[in-house]
Amino acid sequence: MGITYIPEEQLFKLDTPNTTYCIGVIDREGFLGHAYYGRRIDNIQGMSALMRIYENPMTPETNARDRLSFLDCFPAEYSAHGVGDYRESSIRVRSAGGHSAVLLTYVSHEIYQGKRRLEGLPATFGDESEVTTLAITCRDAVLGLRAVLEYSVFEDTDAIARSVRFYNDGDGPIYLEKAMSACLDMDNRDFDMLTLHGSWARERHMDRRRVSHGKHAVSSLRGEPGHQEHPFMALLEHTATQTRGDVYGFSLVYSGNFRMQAEMNQFGSVRITAGIEPEDFSWKLTSGESFQTPEVILVYSGEGLGGMSRTYHDLYRKHLIRSPYRNKKRPILINNWEATYFDFNEEKLLDIAREASKLGIEMLVMDDGWFGNRYDDNRALGDWQVNEEKLKGGLKKLVDGVNALGMEFGMWFEPEMISPESKLYQEHPDWAIAIPGRVPGLARNQYVLDISRKEVRDCIMGQMFEVLHSANIKYVKWDMNRPLSDLGSAALEADRQGELYHRYVLGMYEMQERLLAEFPELLLENCSGGGARFDPGMLYYSPQIWCSDDTDALERLAIQEGTALIYPLSAMGAHVSVCPNHAVGRNTPFETRGYVALAGTFGYELDITKLSQEDKDMVSRQTAMYHRFNDLVREGDYYRIASWQDNHLYDCFQVVSKDKGESLVFYVQVLGEPNQHGRILQLQGLDENAEYRLYEADMQGDTEEITQDTGRVCSGQLLQNGGMLVERLWGDFRAKLIWLKRQ
Ligand code: GLA
């Protein structure tokens, strides 16, 4: 395994347990070509033919007359700009002479154990026994621009991390106007493209369509990924399913503007490019300076989408999330947002905590509204001092009171924002992102702070630290409730204004890094108006991210299905809330809401003092259920069995422990059908040679026991091939949780 260079063929061979990736160097000219990515091949003799360099139009060296036709069909490893490859380029510059062309060719390479950190950026990691890295140095001699293409392969996971670092070796400045993280050329194999699309309160729904000629892209110009599109794309065979077919995933570890694109050209070849959105991007590289792109994670699965998802889950759990909580149960929390919105005081919070503590809830999270004169969402962002009119006696008194109930305490911040009506804005109006002479657009009546500036970051972090040091605070919810617009920084020179989007993201990463350095044991949950910044970059800082402001069980099934395509269930912030649901007005059973939230981090977002006794009894059982099953949900393998978005009737997914000793099957009958019979579900991931005993979760029983033995014992072989019968349920939105235990 690992990476080898085969000099006879001038090929680099990158192996993971089940996949192979090959890069070729073309003769003396040094074009870098993509030869292969897919199922593992041990003997790659003859592989270089796959770059078609023996066919016409040959290489420019052998056929200088047709250099353009060579470049326009050669499978490039990192595509050139402006020299005759008319497909999507990976890089574009503005040189001292005003030219945009770039052609990077091979100079040298290095293979080393381990993986270096990407300066200022989140990235996957692994030690010398876990990761091998190939660094290929290329150069454009005309520009004096050097690029190091890095590829890291993981010993235990079928994933490859790619990124690029640029160096200006010339005398004058070079402006990078486009700097993608990766490019990949493949022949079209009847590919579909799968992306995640959404809106506020309905994030990350799956969107699958045919790849046809031309360019197909998803992107963001919001300064964050946004609710609308997601920094992920998969190309998969048209016939691929959850369990079968070739799937290629591309997931960008970045939390700002992005573009993921597939382009099918005249020869039926598909070029994928992924990285920072080039529009509104420009980076001045002065002599001797370097620029680091974010990394993109490539995953190939020969076993359908399910295989791809499980690889991303394993990689992100093991090689991206750093939090001390990554392998730990998180405290069951109750958040007061939907319970009170801005209308709370310390008594109300203590009432909630008192009731919650009796039912097994372990942490109270105080949401928006505790600071400055924040009585509604029109003011006070930037003034991070406790409002003692609301919290009489101060924060410490409240936190001590909550701690005395045996509960922990957490709180909400929105550090990147500033309200026009705030002390901070009065003192520093130029700290808001704005273009001189243009009134910047408000969203939720707030502006965005220019956190590309160190003094702005220092001021906000200083305020946060003071609050967090003043009491026993174990958790922070870091929110960001509007996208960026009207990009302008009072601190940047004219020819660096194009750097602001990226500098903003770097500033935000630096702030989160500082927070974690100051409070290493803190449980951080990221959030952005729900799930607008749910991306791998943020997972590097927080082990969990609030999935969506929509907590309706049914909508959540769709959101969590799309999210679980890439991210482990342990990362998905999921809570039980009241009905009619605040985002959609739907009524669903309390039991179903509980099961759906148990498939995430689990918690509550309601006024528990107002729940009926029946629901309170169920809370006790749900919290017990969390403790029983969270290890399995957090660390197990995820299998998608059915999707109500496809069949319009029912949803089913499964988590199986790594040793296959137990499994939890989540089943929701979304719509009841008249004259319907029991449903047979073909399970996955089990030990075919073992027998499993089936238990059903019992949320209303008279005994303390939360699971009931059904008396049924079935072989893994039967459950996977024949299937498991779920009896007919009466009504809509009804759910069942079935636990399988190996005998
Ligand atoms: C965002 C979050 C919510 C809540 C509010 C507070 O919308 O997603 O959970 O914290 O902000 O203003």
Side-chain angles (χ1 to χ4, degrees):
M1 252 184 292
I3 300 177
T4 40
Y5 177 60
I6 298 141
E8 311 83 65
E9 304 227 21
Q10 297 201 88
L11 277 175
F12 297 99
K13 181 173 188 292
L14 289 67
D15 290 316
T16 69
N18 301 293
T19 73
T20 293
Y21 186 108
C22 285
I23 305 162
V25 183
I26 308 306
D27 300 330
R28 288 190 297 278
E29 286 156 295
F31 292 110
L32 213 54
H34 179 71
Y36 175 77
Y37 185 31
R39 200 174 287 274
R40 173 129 181 190
I41 301 176
D42 291 320
N43 181 346
I44 60 159
Q45 197 180 352
M47 171 74 81
S48 46
L50 300 187
M51 290 182 289
R52 298 203 169 90
I53 47 171
Y54 306 117
E55 282 176 17
N56 279 333
M58 313 299 253
T59 63
E61 192 178 44
T62 49
N63 183 11
R65 180 179 173 273
D66 273 325
R67 182 167 183 247
L68 260 55
S69 24
F70 166 76
L71 282 171
D72 206 24
C73 71
F74 178 63
E77 191 56 34
Y78 195 73
S79 52
H81 183 84
V83 292
D85 178 348
Y86 296 102
R87 295 163 291 173
E88 187 73 17
S89 59
S90 302
I91 175 168
R92 188 178 68 239
V93 299
R94 189 157 42 85
S95 69
H99 305 116
S100 63
V102 188
L103 176 61
L104 293 160
T105 51
Y106 174 84
V107 176
S108 63
H109 71 268
E110 181 197 356
I111 296 170
Y112 62 91
Q113 290 306 118
K115 181 174 188 292
R116 66 177 181 84
R117 299 176 68 149
L118 304 192
E119 201 186 312
L121 286 169
T124 52
F125 52 81
D127 65 27
E128 294 184 357
S129 67
E130 296 168 323
V131 190
T132 312
T133 299
L134 164 68
I136 304 179
T137 298
C138 299
R139 192 173 56 207
D140 182 313
V142 178
L143 292 169
L145 182 69
R146 179 162 44 103
V148 180
L149 312 185
E150 293 224 321
Y151 301 77
S152 295
V153 297
F154 295 83
E155 290 288 314
D156 57 1
T157 318
D158 287 313
I160 301 177
R162 282 186 64 174
S163 67
V164 188
R165 192 173 181 104
F166 296 98
Y167 298 85
N168 182 352
D169 293 337
D171 298 330
I174 301 171
Y175 295 85
L176 289 176
E177 307 238 291
K178 179 180 194 180
M180 304 310 277
S181 300
C183 163
L184 184 68
D185 283 350
M186 292 190 288
D187 277 3
N188 181 28
R189 299 216 297 274
D190 203 6
F191 280 135
D192 279 358
M193 170 175 168
L194 176 66
T195 55
L196 298 172
H197 175 83
S199 184
W200 174 75
R202 50 183 163 85
E203 296 89 340
R204 291 177 298 286
H205 283 226
M206 309 223 284
D207 199 350
R208 182 170 174 170
R209 61 252 188 230
R210 217 63 180 247
V211 174
S212 54
H213 289 102
K215 296 178 181 179
H216 312 259
V218 287
S219 67
S220 167
L221 270 172
R222 293 167 192 268
E224 60 170 348
H227 301 95
Q228 293 74 11
E229 309 293 349
H230 199 72
F232 167 81
M233 186 171 81
L235 283 199
L236 62 166
E237 289 175 319
H238 183 61
T239 52
T241 64
Q242 276 295 323
T243 52
R244 278 190 299 272
D246 283 352
V247 181
Y248 295 87
F250 305 86
S251 165
L252 186 68
V253 186
Y254 189 59
S255 315
N257 292 350
F258 68 86
R259 186 191 292 184
M260 319 292 289
Q261 182 176 295
E263 176 188 14
M264 186 154 87
N265 81 342
Q266 54 185 329
F267 306 116
S269 138
V270 180
R271 168 168 294 171
I272 297 109
T273 41
I276 295 178
E277 165 63 49
E279 194 170 325
D280 278 343
F281 170 81
S282 166
W283 194 274
K284 182 180 182 181
L285 262 192
T286 56
S287 174
E289 275 185 347
S290 65
F291 178 83
Q292 174 67 57
T293 74
E295 72 178 11
V296 62
I297 307 296
L298 279 59
V299 167
Y300 163 77
S301 157
E303 278 142 28
L305 282 167
M308 179 199 74
S309 298
R310 288 185 291 280
T311 299
Y312 278 120
H313 293 188
D314 284 345
L315 185 81
Y316 289 165
R317 278 184 295 205
K318 214 171 153 193
H319 297 288
L320 181 66
I321 297 173
R322 299 174 296 169
S323 165
Y325 278 95
R326 77 171 170 169
N327 298 323
K328 273 208 283 199
K329 244 194 283 176
R330 325 276 156 81
I332 301 174
L333 65 83
I334 184 162
N335 177 304
N336 74 305
W337 179 240
E338 287 197 19
T340 66
Y341 294 102
F342 292 101
D343 185 16
F344 64 86
N345 56 23
E346 83 289 351
E347 274 170 37
K348 179 70 213 171
L349 294 178
L350 282 167
D351 281 350
I352 292 177
R354 209 165 290 120
E355 195 60 42
S357 65
K358 291 185 211 153
L359 305 175
I361 296 173
E362 299 158 318
M363 176 187 275
L364 175 77
V365 173
M366 176 172 68
D367 210 279
D368 192 356
W370 57 265
F371 53 93
N373 62 343
R374 184 82 168 168
Y375 291 95
D376 56 35
D377 62 7
N378 289 316
R379 62 205 91 244
L381 292 168
D383 299 343
W384 300 107
Q385 294 87 35
V386 175
N387 178 327
E388 296 206 6
E389 253 173 54
K390 277 193 187 183
L391 304 182
K392 299 212 173 52
L395 183 63
K396 181 157 183 350
K397 183 158 174 251
L398 170 66
V399 178
D400 289 347
V402 171
N403 287 166
L405 295 166
M407 288 176 81
E408 311 215 278
F409 188 87
M411 62 197 294
W412 179 97
F413 286 89
E414 197 179 352
E416 300 155 68
M417 296 293 150
I418 182 165
S419 305
E421 191 185 319
S422 64
K423 279 189 278 163
L424 190 71
Y425 191 74
Q426 275 165 19
E427 285 162 25
H428 300 288
D430 67 317
W431 281 12
I433 287 182
I435 299 169
R438 245 178 233 286
V439 179
L442 286 162
R444 211 192 191 202
N445 206 10
Q446 64 199 51
Y447 292 137
V448 184
L449 274 173
D450 181 3
I451 53 170
S452 72
R453 296 169 69 168
K454 181 161 184 312
E455 67 273 29
V456 176
R457 299 198 296 271
D458 288 349
C459 168
I460 299 297
M461 295 318 288
Q463 292 189 54
M464 279 182 83
F465 287 178
E466 206 170 316
V467 174
L468 294 174
H469 277 302
S470 73
N472 182 22
I473 293 152
K474 300 282 192 191
Y475 162 108
V476 163
K477 177 175 170 187
W478 181 305
D479 209 342
M480 191 246 194
N481 275 323
R482 64 154 287 179
L484 277 58
S485 71
D486 304 277
L487 269 279
S489 166
L492 286 173
E493 292 155 21
D495 65 348
R496 286 195 181 271
Q497 290 291 335
E499 299 176 13
L500 184 53
Y501 268 127
H502 185 57
R503 284 189 184 275
Y504 179 89
V505 178
L506 295 178
M508 182 271 294
Y509 288 151
E510 194 246 21
M511 289 165 85
Q512 298 220 344
E513 193 71 55
R514 257 205 250 180
L515 177 66
L516 298 174
E518 186 80 8
F519 303 97
E521 297 305 317
L522 187 76
L523 173 56
L524 181 61
E525 175 155 358
N526 269 293
C527 171
S528 176
R533 202 162 60 185
F534 198 123
D535 64 73
M538 301 315 287
L539 281 186
Y540 187 67
Y541 303 94
S542 65
Q544 61 194 57
I545 304 174
W546 184 228
C547 239
S548 175
D549 279 344
D550 196 316
T551 45
D552 166 58
L554 189 54
E555 176 55 37
R556 270 296 180 124
L557 285 176
I559 295 171
Q560 294 179 199
E561 177 183 0
T563 308
L565 192 65
I566 317 162
Y567 307 101
L569 305 192
S570 62
M572 304 200 294
H575 297 166
V576 177
S577 63
V578 294
C579 281
N581 177 269
H582 290 196
V584 67
R586 191 169 11 243
N587 287 304
T588 53
F590 199 78
E591 181 175 1
T592 303
R593 281 175 266 157
Y595 291 151
V596 174
L598 280 164
T601 56
F602 195 65
Y604 294 85
E605 185 111 2
L606 42 71
D607 187 346
I608 203 154
T609 65
K610 294 193 183 141
L611 282 191
S612 67
Q613 191 53 47
E614 199 187 331
D615 286 353
K616 281 186 190 167
D617 291 344
M618 216 182 277
V619 171
S620 298
R621 297 179 90 81
Q622 287 170 339
T623 54
M625 195 81 79
Y626 171 81
H627 288 295
R628 168 83 67 88
F629 292 121
N630 185 255
D631 284 350
L632 172 58
V633 169
R634 214 179 53 246
E635 287 171 16
D637 287 331
Y638 170 86
Y639 292 88
R640 170 59 52 180
I641 309 298
S643 166
W644 77 267
Q645 300 206 75
D646 286 341
N647 63 39
H648 307 297
L649 292 173
Y650 65 100
D651 207 70
C652 182
F653 55 95
Q654 198 192 340
V655 183
V656 184
S657 62
K658 288 278 178 198
D659 68 357
K660 299 185 188 291
E662 57 174 335
S663 173
L664 206 53
V665 182
F666 294 78
Y667 172 77
V668 180
Q669 173 175 293
V670 171
L671 278 184
E673 276 182 295
N675 202 13
Q676 175 199 313
H677 298 278
R679 200 158 260 139
I680 293 174
L681 303 165
Q682 287 172 321
L683 302 186
Q684 298 174 39
L686 300 174
D687 177 352
E688 292 235 325
N689 301 314
E691 288 187 338
Y692 292 86
R693 182 172 286 276
L694 275 55
Y695 299 80
E696 279 186 8
D698 181 359
M699 297 308 288
Q700 279 146 354
D702 305 325
T703 67
E704 296 250 301
E705 191 40 63
I706 50 169
T707 56
Q708 297 295 330
D709 188 347
T710 64
R712 285 154 65 193
V713 175
C714 301
S715 70
Q717 225 174 10
L718 171 70
L719 292 166
Q720 301 201 140
N721 299 305
M724 178 181 76
L725 177 72
V726 183
E727 74 210 31
R728 170 193 182 191
L729 298 171
W730 185 248
D732 297 338
F733 318 131
R734 298 287 312 283
K736 254 197 193 307
L737 192 64
I738 299 153
W739 178 45
L740 279 59
K741 179 99 186 83
R742 187 161 52 193
Q743 294 275 287

